[in-house]
Amino acid sequence: MTRSLDIPALDRIDTLAQELAMLQDRGKRRIAFLGSRHVPVVSIHLVELVARSLAQEGHNLITSGAQGVNAAVIRSVLEVDPARLTVLLPQSLERQPGESRSQLERVLHLVEKPENDELPLPMASSLCNQEIINRCDQLICYAFHDSETLLSSCRTAEDMGKVVSLMFFD
């Protein structure tokens, strides 16, 4: 039996009701996308479809600047409405790989963190993910079961009462 059919614990009933109300709310939301840099090709199309659809519905999307999931989100939203996209970088634009930089230069709402340039990338990425979660109403995350940083970000978002949709590639 899957977890989705399990009855939630009594202390989660209020949270569940709140999440259901938010999902039924027709208002525009700030939806964060986080995900792996290494994505199966078929899955990239799914990420692009979801991001494009949410932007077309008028939601504002927030992501980071890495390859993989984040690049797919950026590409999709730039095609629909660049004003609906905010990208938070873990470090300055100059620290981003060349293949990402040309796409990131087209982003209207780009937030750089040059103060994190001296930090190791995993630490800067964790701080960036935390800020992204703080800015969103809902988190959509694409990960592998061993993606510790992403799974930790999802737990943090759940602890903050955010609606979290976690999808696994494996």
Side-chain angles (χ1 to χ4, degrees), residues 37-97:
R37 287 176 172 83
H38 311 287
V39 182
V41 174
V42 174
S43 299
I44 284 290
H45 298 298
L46 174 65
V47 172
E48 290 172 340
L49 177 67
V50 171
R52 187 177 297 109
S53 297
L54 290 169
Q56 287 171 336
E57 288 179 6
H59 299 289
N60 293 310
L61 277 57
I62 308 166
T63 193
S64 189
Q67 289 297 309
V69 168
N70 298 339
V73 170
I74 294 167
R75 190 170 41 253
S76 297
V77 180
L78 287 176
E79 290 173 5
V80 173
D81 183 356
R84 298 241 164 253
L85 177 67
T86 300
V87 176
L88 278 73
L89 299 178
Q91 296 170 323
S92 63
L93 182 61
E94 291 76 35
R95 299 283 306 223
Q96 305 309 305

Side-chain angles (χ1 to χ4, degrees), residues 16-26 29 138 163 165:
L16 181 61
Q18 179 184 13
E19 290 173 359
L20 289 172
M22 182 178 212
L23 289 172
Q24 292 176 340
D25 182 9
R26 292 282 182 199
R29 291 174 291 197
Q138 177 178 353
V163 174
S165 302

